[in-house]
């Protein structure tokens, strides 16, 4: 039983494309802006730093482009010290999507970093299965990072997945089994992709509402949009393309019974999509259906999640990683 209300925000925003330093500065600025509005929980889109690798959908495979993307990807925790400090200064819990580069290496992951309001990195989730052309960029995360976290003194557990990782029912149930209360579903803009214009938003809404109801959680769905920094970078570095258009994105906060707490929002400019999450409402929802309890039917169904360490650095990034004092 939780008697707590959270002022939460699902961010609809675009990064400074392929510019790690500038995008991290924007992250810090948005954290400060959120604090002014008394936001306690702020969720960023998928790979907000340095942006989604749309070039994989627009051009033939290009190792040089991936190498440039790797150079702008985030090493954890080294590149996030100032973000951690911003969380601590502003007392905001942040869930941040980044393209992560293995520390001291070259392998990349589509990662979600959860940072507590005291600046501690609670943990990092690496996307278990990159989708389609994403496999040209990111490695496969393991079950070792499939976790939920409890911010200090918050009383709730939060976890996240990236994009079409939500189609993996096993990944979602793994979070449900850990007593998740709040879920962050990180997305890029997909409705601007050739062939997805008329279906992407419907797919995202369906997947987010599915997890809200089947997990009985509040869902924050932050999304990016495509701006001129992205389109210009691709044209300047790789040539003309007609597969990705400007704009897009679908951002919302969803109640466990699938109503909208805030949004949905779709546009080509930044907005903090803000709503109040009342965790006491989970009591009524759980009376009907409890995916970690009476509706799980463990004598009928079994879920086996392999949480074995697969990558050498996983214990170093799963957390907690305290904020280093200057």
């Amino acid at each position: 039983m939780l008697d707590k209300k959270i002022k939460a925000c699902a961010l609809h925003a675009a990064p400074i494309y392929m510019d790690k330093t500038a995008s991290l500065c924007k992250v810090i600025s948005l954290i400060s802006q959120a604090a002014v509005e008394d936001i306690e929980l702020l969720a960023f889109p998928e790979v907000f730093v340095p942006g989604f690798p749309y070039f994989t959908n627009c051009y033939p495979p290009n190792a040089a482009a991936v190498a440039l993307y790797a150079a702008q990807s985030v090493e954890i925790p080294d590149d996030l010290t100032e973000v951690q400090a911003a969380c601590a200064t502003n007392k905001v819990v942040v869930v941040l999507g980044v393209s992560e580069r293995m520390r001291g290496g070259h392998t990349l992951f589509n990662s979600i970093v959860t940072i507590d309001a005291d600046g501690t990195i609670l943990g990092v989730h690496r996307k278990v299965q990159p989708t389609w052309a994403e496999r040209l960029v990111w490695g496969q995360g393991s079950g070792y990072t499939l976790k939920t976290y409890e911010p200090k003194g918050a009383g709730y557990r939060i976890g996240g997945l990236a994009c079409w990782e939500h189609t993996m029912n096993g990944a979602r149930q793994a979070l449900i089994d850990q007593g998740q209360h709040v879920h962050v579903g990180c997305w890029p803009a997909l409705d601007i992709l050739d062939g997805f214009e008329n279906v992407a938003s419907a797919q995202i809404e369906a997947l987010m509402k599915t997890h809200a109801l089947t997990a009985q959680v509040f869902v924050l769905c932050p999304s990016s949009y495509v701006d001129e920094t992205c389109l210009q970078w691709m044209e300047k570095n790789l040539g003309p393309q007609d597969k990705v258009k400007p704009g897009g994105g679908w951002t919302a906060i969803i109640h466990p019974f699938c109503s909208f707490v805030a949004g949905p929002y779709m546009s080509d400019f930044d907005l903090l999509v803000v709503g109040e999450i009342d965790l006491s409402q989970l009591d009524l929802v759980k009376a009907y259906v409890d995916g970690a309890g009476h509706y799980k039917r463990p004598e009928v169904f079994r879920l086996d999640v392999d949480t074995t360490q697969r990558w050498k650095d996983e214990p170093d990034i799963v957390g907690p990683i305290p904020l280093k004092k200057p």
Side-chain angles (χ1 to χ4, degrees):
M1 304 292 183
L2 294 173
D3 185 14
K4 184 179 180 65
K5 295 179 180 179
I6 309 165
K7 190 171 184 181
C9 172
L11 184 64
H12 187 94
I16 313 303
Y17 195 74
M18 288 290 278
D19 190 328
K20 174 172 61 177
T21 300
S23 291
L24 287 172
C25 285
K26 183 169 184 176
V27 168
I28 292 166
S29 176
L30 288 165
I31 293 171
S32 298
Q33 182 181 342
V36 170
E37 298 189 26
D38 296 320
I39 290 166
E40 302 164 82
L41 172 60
L42 175 61
F44 284 80
E46 181 179 21
V47 292
F48 191 74
V49 185
F52 189 80
Y54 287 109
F55 53 83
T56 60
N57 299 99
C58 302
Y59 308 93
N62 187 319
V66 175
L68 291 172
Y69 191 78
Q72 297 301 320
S73 293
V74 172
E75 285 195 11
I76 299 171
D78 310 65
D79 290 330
L80 296 181
T81 302
E82 292 183 7
V83 175
Q84 290 178 261
C87 291
T89 299
N90 294 286
K91 308 301 181 189
V92 179
V93 176
V94 166
V95 180
L96 175 63
V98 301
S99 175
E100 177 198 357
R101 185 174 71 248
M102 185 180 286
R103 195 178 189 190
H106 300 276
T107 296
L108 306 182
F109 298 94
N110 181 330
S111 297
I112 300 172
V113 187
T114 302
I115 308 174
D116 207 343
D118 66 355
T120 300
I121 294 176
L122 295 175
V124 178
H125 168 63
R126 290 171 169 173
K127 187 175 181 180
V128 173
Q129 180 58 53
T131 306
W132 186 233
E134 292 176 5
R135 299 175 203 177
L136 295 167
V137 178
W138 294 309
Q140 293 174 309
S142 76
Y144 190 88
T145 71
L146 200 57
K147 297 180 183 295
T148 62
Y149 301 97
E150 183 174 342
K152 293 185 181 73
Y156 66 87
R157 297 197 67 81
I158 187 169
L161 298 173
C163 199
W164 276 22
E165 194 174 28
H166 289 91
T167 66
M168 304 178 75
N169 292 334
R172 296 193 304 103
Q173 188 64 44
L175 300 182
I176 295 170
D177 286 348
Q178 294 176 47
Q180 186 183 39
H181 302 105
V182 179
H183 180 79
V184 178
C186 299
W187 291 84
L190 294 180
D191 53 327
I192 44 67
L193 280 173
D194 185 39
F196 281 83
E197 298 93 339
N198 299 320
V199 296
S201 293
Q203 292 170 342
I204 295 170
E205 181 175 355
L207 287 167
M208 295 298 89
K209 286 185 173 179
T210 294
H211 192 67
L213 184 57
T214 57
Q216 306 89 53
V217 295
F218 286 90
V219 172
L220 276 62
C221 179
S223 172
S224 57
Y225 61 91
V226 172
D227 72 352
E228 285 303 315
T229 67
C230 173
L231 296 175
Q232 290 173 6
W233 186 92
M234 289 196 294
E235 182 163 356
K236 177 182 177 181
N237 290 275
L238 300 170
Q241 61 83 28
D242 60 1
K243 302 297 184 184
V244 172
K245 302 174 180 63
W250 191 93
T251 301
I253 301 176
I254 302 171
H255 187 276
F257 271 167
C258 296
S259 60
F260 289 108
V261 176
Y265 180 77
M266 296 157 280
S267 190
D268 59 354
F269 57 88
D270 294 359
L271 183 73
L272 276 66
V273 180
V274 181
E276 183 180 75
I277 291 175
D278 184 354
L279 294 173
S280 69
Q281 294 178 5
L282 293 176
D283 294 346
L284 176 61
V285 177
K286 291 286 190 179
Y288 284 96
V289 55
D290 184 359
H294 67 264
Y295 233 82
K296 185 180 179 182
R297 293 298 304 276
E299 79 282 13
V300 179
F301 305 107
R302 294 176 183 167
L303 175 66
D304 182 21
V305 181
D306 186 351
T307 58
T308 305
Q309 177 187 340
R310 298 297 181 187
W311 297 93
K312 64 180 182 180
D313 66 332
E314 285 175 327
D316 298 328
I317 57 96
V318 162
I321 306 173
L323 170 63
K324 289 184 179 180
K325 301 299 182 181

